[in-house]
């Protein structure tokens, strides 16, 4: 199966920005819908958003619209999650996932290992 790898996490102050990347070694993600999730230890995993490959549309959790954006670099076969105006409540482990469908019905067959995002002063 495709092994997804997330990167770009780290420590950022409130109001700051981070861009997370999701990629797979020697495999382009251009043909798959990719979803982003986040999880705080001990809490339920939360769906952040998704990008489809069939029509290029993006979908977001309502409370995150305007701050989080998902994009693709088709030349690199990579998917990004741009996070702006970060808040302490955004602190979580962020994952990307796919089920190899071109449409955003991702439930998660293939997952990355996650990248930690910590928003703190």
């Amino acid at each position: 199966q495709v092994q997804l790898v997330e990167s770009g996490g780290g420590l950022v102050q409130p109001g700051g920005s981070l861009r997370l990347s999701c990629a797979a070694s020697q495999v382009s993600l251009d043909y798959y819908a990719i979803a982003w999730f986040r999880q705080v230890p001990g809490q339920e995993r939360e769906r952040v958003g998704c990008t489809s490959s069939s029509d290029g549309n993006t979908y977001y959790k309502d409370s995150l619209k305007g701050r989080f954006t998902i994009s693709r670099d088709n030349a690199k076969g990579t998917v990004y999650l741009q996070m702006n105006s970060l808040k302490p409540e955004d602190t979580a482990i962020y994952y990307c996932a796919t089920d190899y469908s071109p449409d955003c019905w991702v439930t998660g067959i293939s997952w990355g290992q996650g990248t930690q995002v910590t928003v703190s002063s």
Side-chain angles (χ1 to χ4, degrees), residues 24-45:
S25 180
Q26 300 185 20
V27 178
S28 173
L29 301 182
D30 294 348
Y31 315 111
Y32 306 137
I34 300 294
W36 286 94
F37 294 81
R38 66 185 185 183
Q39 187 171 32
V40 177
Q43 299 184 15
E44 185 179 9
R45 184 172 292 165

